[in-house]
Amino acid sequence: MSWEHGAKWTSALLTESKRHISSPRHPIPDVPVIYLLEPTAQNLQSITNDLQKGLYSPAYINFTSSIPRPLLEDFATQTATAGTSEQIARVYDQYLNFIVSEPDLFNLGMYKEHTYWALNSGKTQDDELDLVIDRIVSGLFSVIVTMGVIPIIRCPKDAAAEMISAKLDRKLRDHILNSKDNLFSGARPTSSTVATPTSRPVLIILDRNVDLIPMLSHSWTYQSLVHDVLNMKLNRITIETPIDENNPAKGVTKKTYDLTANDFFWQKNAGVPFPQVAEDIDAELTRYKEDVAAITKKTGVTDLDDLQNDTSASAQHLKAAITLLPELRERKATLDMHMNILAALLNGIKNRQLDNYFQLEENVSKQTKAQMLDLIKDADKGKEPIDKLRLFIIWYISTEQEISRADWNQFEEALQAAGVDSASLSYVRQ
Amino acid sequence: MVKVLTLSFAASIKKLLNLNETVNANENEEPHANGTLASSAPILTAEGEPIWKVLVFDDLGRDVISSVLRVSDLRSMGITMHM
């Protein structure tokens, strides 16, 4: 394929805008396809349908986790019946059903499963619970495979944590005993940095219930405010601004910002309290302006002496300026992005009076029943009723005062009057 | 230890996008701290031309990839389409 061919291909491919497995897709013959899917019966059917229609060929099928034997057999039967085996290049188990969102944080991407609810609700059916637990075990197994070293597992007795630990332990042991190609015996891609067998990491599995308050509290750090106030998913922030402040019917414009790990401002400020972040952005902007001024001063003709006396020196300055330019431009773009994010945050904080909630929660257990009731009834406490609910739950969990049935009813009524969906309250009371 | 996880995670994704052929272009290549791949050379045909590939994913697959790769990274790996 020549380059021109490549370019033509590219434009042909670009018209194909969606690649999601569930969306209709057009044929692009003779182009290899990479599938990255959960091993489910539905996904397998979609692959066979694609291949039968000759959408692409050859196909490299990657499953995010190890495909269960029965499904693999079904898929083999399907492939044989449909006559699509020639189009399949390889099938791989990938052990990738988890998401590394930060250098020191991963999650299992279980948005659909409502994990906390499933593990704690009395209404969850046994088979549903098994599915969720198996999914967690499979995700943790993938993390361990990717780490390339088997951890020591610790967990408290009882409840889901113990079930998960036991299943994970069994899965690891089964794998080591029964697999022909043990995933932990070969050298991993980064084997030089993998710990030696003598320093195995400890995996601690805990139930969320050990500490519920952090999920509800109004935090004051940059990162948690971004999560709370703005729409942030997978390190992408979406900010909605009304086109016309006074006329919400006109709709909103959406802007998205990607947080990357080489974002120096985010690295420095993610865990810093909001007011300090606001100070730091000012400081960084000043530093940027000074750096720019320093360069223009060194290279600009304002410095005539330099030019006359020593031309090689000015050439040097020029060269230095050119090498600095990309860094400066990137720094400016990063700072501009954070300026926009901070402005949107400030708006959100004002609308919801988050500074108030944050201060209240700092010593929430000291609040009396009457104070709490007043707070909930106060109409001037921000636009989001759910903030009141969060405050109340935190107070209820941490207070040592007796809450009688009558007190409780009063709180519930007041919250409902404030526009709160109180469905969660009966669970909290347990 | 965590660094190992992000590095291996990014390496696995990169490998699968290269049709599971090991790319030995540059062993010392340092991905950014969160595993974003700095430069990701696509595999080449025998004639030394990049192989264009189509990527199809479900919700989980999308989230897994988008946590470490941006659209421009995908393009540099020979994956030509974007949402």
Side-chain angles (χ1 to χ4, degrees):
Chain A
M1 201 194 291
S2 71
W3 188 85
E4 288 96 309
H5 251 100
K8 222 160 85 189
W9 274 114
T10 317
S11 63
L13 296 181
L14 282 171
T15 55
E16 163 86 282
S17 62
K18 283 232 165 69
R19 298 164 297 178
H20 197 283
I21 184 78
S22 61
S23 57
R25 282 161 283 120
H26 298 288
I28 309 170
D30 298 326
V31 170
V33 59
I34 302 166
Y35 287 97
L36 180 60
L37 304 167
E38 273 186 277
T40 63
Q42 198 191 352
N43 279 341
L44 293 173
Q45 187 61 55
S46 303
I47 294 176
T48 303
N49 291 348
D50 280 5
L51 297 183
Q52 219 167 7
K53 281 185 255 166
L55 288 191
Y56 337 91
S57 176
Y60 293 78
I61 302 168
N62 297 274
F63 294 115
T64 49
S65 57
S66 181
I67 179 170
R69 188 82 207 173
L71 270 181
L72 188 62
E73 279 165 13
D74 284 354
F75 185 55
T77 319
Q78 252 177 46
T79 308
T81 332
T84 49
S85 66
E86 296 222 326
Q87 282 139 274
I88 300 177
R90 290 286 302 265
V91 178
Y92 302 91
D93 286 340
Q94 285 293 357
Y95 305 101
L96 281 176
N97 50 345
F98 64 100
I99 294 161
V100 182
S101 48
E102 286 173 40
D104 49 4
L105 184 68
F106 70 85
N107 69 64
L108 300 179
M110 295 173 65
Y111 308 110
K112 276 178 295 192
E113 286 88 347
H114 306 291
T115 317
Y116 181 78
W117 187 86
L119 292 179
N120 291 285
S121 164
K123 287 184 196 148
T124 314
Q125 304 291 318
D126 279 356
D127 51 340
E128 274 177 75
L129 186 66
D130 282 348
L131 274 181
V132 170
I133 287 186
D134 284 347
R135 173 71 182 77
I136 296 174
V137 170
S138 150
L140 290 175
F141 183 78
S142 292
V143 172
I144 294 169
V145 168
T146 306
M147 299 269 291
V149 50
I150 298 174
I152 297 160
I153 305 174
R154 288 283 177 272
C155 70
K157 280 240 167 263
D158 303 324
E162 192 186 7
M163 266 158 89
I164 289 164
S165 306
K167 276 202 166 182
L168 183 60
D169 178 74
R170 203 174 320 133
K171 197 175 165 87
L172 285 165
R173 281 173 205 279
D174 279 357
H175 174 79
I176 291 168
L177 288 175
N178 301 328
S179 297
K180 264 180 267 152
D181 25 43
N182 185 339
L183 292 161
F184 299 98
S185 57
R188 304 295 302 156
T190 49
S191 55
S192 55
T193 42
V194 168
T196 52
T198 47
S199 70
R200 285 164 58 194
V202 177
L203 172 66
I204 302 174
I205 301 178
L206 294 173
D207 279 300
R208 181 67 259 180
N209 287 333
V210 275
D211 188 8
L212 281 175
I213 292 177
M215 316 287 287
L216 301 161
S217 69
H218 293 88
S219 174
W220 201 225
T221 64
Y222 191 26
Q223 186 171 25
S224 18
L225 277 171
V226 166
H227 265 287
D228 199 348
V229 177
L230 308 173
N231 179 353
M232 174 165 169
K233 200 187 166 216
L234 297 165
N235 292 331
R236 165 168 287 189
I237 302 175
T238 310
I239 296 178
E240 293 182 4
T241 26
I243 293 170
D244 185 347
E245 287 278 343
N246 305 317
N247 186 0
K250 277 195 178 166
V252 291
T253 50
K254 278 191 187 171
K255 259 197 113 126
T256 58
Y257 302 98
D258 285 312
L259 290 170
T260 58
N262 49 357
D263 179 332
F264 73 97
F265 192 81
W266 183 249
Q267 265 175 8
K268 192 163 68 159
N269 285 301
V272 170
F274 181 75
Q276 268 160 267
V277 183
E279 274 170 35
D280 193 49
I281 193 103
D282 275 343
E284 283 294 344
L285 278 172
T286 316
R287 188 169 72 91
Y288 167 78
K289 280 179 197 147
E290 280 167 5
D291 288 355
V292 171
I295 287 177
T296 39
K297 211 166 147 195
K298 269 188 198 152
T299 51
V301 271
T302 45
D303 220 349
L304 277 176
D305 288 346
D306 257 10
L307 281 174
Q308 283 162 351
N309 294 342
D310 188 355
T311 42
S312 74
S314 77
Q316 289 252 305
H317 284 320
L318 212 56
K319 203 176 153 208
I322 287 167
T323 37
L324 280 175
L325 224 51
E327 191 272 331
L328 280 172
R329 202 175 296 149
E330 202 176 308
R331 180 139 55 106
K332 183 70 167 46
T334 304
L335 291 178
D336 283 347
M337 175 179 98
H338 284 284
M339 287 286 281
N340 291 336
I341 296 173
L342 282 164
L345 270 188
L346 193 63
N347 234 339
I349 292 171
K350 268 197 237 151
N351 284 340
R352 288 170 56 184
Q353 298 200 11
L354 292 177
D355 46 341
N356 246 324
Y357 283 100
F358 166 69
Q359 275 170 358
L360 278 169
E361 285 163 17
E362 284 284 89
N363 43 16
V364 71
S365 53
K366 299 221 177 70
Q367 303 285 328
T368 64
K369 283 183 240 180
Q371 278 172 317
M372 277 308 294
L373 207 54
D374 283 348
L375 276 169
I376 294 168
K377 286 181 176 161
D378 192 345
D380 188 31
K381 276 284 171 285
K383 286 182 184 167
E384 285 285 343
I386 196 142
D387 290 327
K388 288 183 176 172
L389 179 65
R390 282 161 61 176
L391 176 68
F392 172 72
I393 297 175
I394 293 170
W395 175 77
Y396 180 73
I397 295 176
S398 41
T399 188
E400 279 153 16
Q401 300 163 67
E402 252 337 285
I403 314 285
S404 69
R405 183 81 226 164
D407 292 336
W408 179 267
N409 288 344
Q410 246 183 326
F411 280 121
E412 193 162 353
E413 264 167 43
L415 282 166
Q416 275 162 355
V420 170
D421 175 6
S422 59
S424 59
L425 284 175
S426 56
Y427 175 70
V428 175
R429 190 157 162 80
Q430 284 172 26
Chain B
M1 281 318 292
V2 175
K3 189 100 193 281
V4 179
L5 181 66
T6 54
L7 287 176
S8 312
F9 181 71
S12 307
I13 289 177
K14 189 173 165 184
K15 193 174 166 203
L16 93 89
L17 292 176
N18 270 328
L19 309 179
N20 292 290
E21 284 176 35
T22 316
V23 184
N24 47 7
N26 186 358
E27 286 292 326
N28 300 323
E29 188 182 322
E30 268 284 311
H32 303 313
N34 79 343
T36 309
L37 304 172
S39 67
S40 5
I43 48 164
L44 306 173
T45 61
E47 292 84 43
E49 284 155 0
I51 297 178
W52 298 103
K53 290 152 286 184
V54 179
L55 179 64
V56 180
F57 43 61
D58 59 3
D59 288 344
L60 182 69
R62 179 196 57 212
D63 291 350
V64 166
I65 289 186
S66 65
S67 68
V68 277
L69 294 171
R70 284 161 302 169
V71 172
S72 55
D73 298 321
L74 284 179
R75 209 176 298 129
S76 72
M77 308 253 344
I79 312 281
T80 48
M81 303 186 300
H82 57 93
M83 306 276 283

